[in-house]
C-alpha cells in the first residue's frame, strides 16, 4: 500500500510553509508574506523545456517585480545541480537567473504540496505553478506535463488578473488582458435584478480596467 500523503492543495488553502536551501541562500516561504508569489516546480535541471522556461522567466523577472510578485523555483535536484545548471544557462544564453531555485531532494516540499501521487517513484513529472497571495493563500494553480513549457505571458496575466479581482468588485472575463474591460461582480438580490437598466445588466456588465500600473 502506498504511504499516506497529503491531498493536493485546493484553491483557498493556506500553502504549507517550508525552509530550504536555494541558489539565493536558505529561504523560508514565510519570507514572502506581504507579496504575491509564483512558486513553480520544474521536472528536472538540464532538460530542454525547463531550460527554455528559466530563460524566459529570468528575462521577465522585472515584469513580475513590477507587480510586486516574487518568483521561486523548485525541483528535486540538489543545490549543486541547480548552481551548475544556472551557470550553463548564463554561459549559453547570457541570462542570469536571480530568483531562488530551491532544492527538494527528499520530496518533502513536493509531498507537502500534494504535487506527486503517494506511490510515485519520483517527482519528475511535476510542472506545477502555484499563484500565492500576500497572505499565503493559494489563488490559482496550473499543472503541465513535462513535454510542454509554460507561457510566461499567461503567468503574468494570471498574477495581474488575481490582483484586479482581489477587491471582489470585478471579475476577469475570457481572454482578459491588462487594460481591457473587466466584468462587474453580479448583484445577488432581486433589487439588483429588477433595478438594472438592461435585462442582463445585473449579471453581465463591463467595467473599465482603471488599475493598470
Ligand atoms: C524538459 O524540461 O525538457 C523535460 C523534463 C522532464 C522530462 C522530459 C522533458
Amino acid at each position: 500500500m502506498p504511504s499516506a500523503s497529503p491531498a493536493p492543495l485546493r484553491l483557498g488553502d493556506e500553502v504549507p510553509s517550508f525552509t530550504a536551501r536555494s541558489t539565493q541562500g536558505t529561504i523560508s516561504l514565510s519570507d514572502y508574506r506581504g507579496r504575491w508569489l509564483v512558486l513553480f516546480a520544474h521536472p528536472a535541471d538540464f532538460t530542454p523545456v525547463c531550460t527554455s522556461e528559466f530563460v524566459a522567466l529570468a528575462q521577465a523577472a522585472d515584469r513580475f517585480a513590477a507587480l510586486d510578485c516574487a518568483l521561486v523555483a523548485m525541483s528535486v535536484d540538489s543545490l549543486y545541480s541547480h548552481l551548475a545548471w544556472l551557470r550553463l544557462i548564463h554561459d549559453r544564453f547570457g541570462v542570469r537567473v536571480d530568483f531562488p531555485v530551491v532544492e527538494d531532494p527528499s520530496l518533502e516540499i513536493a509531498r507537502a504540496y500534494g504535487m506527486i501521487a503517494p506511490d510515485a517513484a519520483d517527482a519528475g513529472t511535476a510542472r506545477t505553478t502555484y499563484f500565492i497571495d500576500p497572505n499565503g493563500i493559494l489563488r490559482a494553480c496550473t499543472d503541465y506535463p513535462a513535454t510542454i513549457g509554460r507561457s510566461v505571458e499567461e503567468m503574468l496575466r494570471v498574477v495581474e488578473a488575481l490582483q484586479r479581482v482581489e477587491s471582489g468588485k470585478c471579475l476577469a472575463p475570457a481572454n482578459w488582458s491588462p487594460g481591457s474591460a473587466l466584468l462587474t461582480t453580479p448583484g445577488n438580490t432581486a433589487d439588483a435584478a429588477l433595478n438594472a437598466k438592461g435585462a442582463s445588466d445585473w449579471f453581465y456588465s463591463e467595467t473599465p480596467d482603471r488599475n493598470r500600473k
Side-chain angles (χ1 to χ4, degrees), residues 45-58:
D45 294 354
F46 300 101
T47 52
V49 177
C50 296
T51 300
S52 69
E53 287 186 330
F54 268 53
V55 170
L57 283 160

Side-chain angles (χ1 to χ4, degrees), residues 178-203:
S180 63
L182 294 153
L183 295 172
T184 306
T185 301
N188 54 7
T189 61
D191 270 357
L194 298 173
N195 296 338
K197 209 164 151 207
S200 61
D201 288 351
W202 65 275
F203 77 89

Side-chain angles (χ1 to χ4, degrees), residues 66-67 159-172 176-183 207-213:
L67 300 174
V159 173
E160 270 201 82
L162 288 168
Q163 292 178 347
R164 292 299 197 288
V165 304
E166 209 188 351
S167 68
K169 291 183 182 151
C170 60
L171 311 166
W176 178 80
S177 60
S180 63
L182 294 153
L183 295 172
T207 181
D209 177 13
R210 295 200 180 85
N211 293 325
R212 183 131 209 222
K213 283 185 185 155

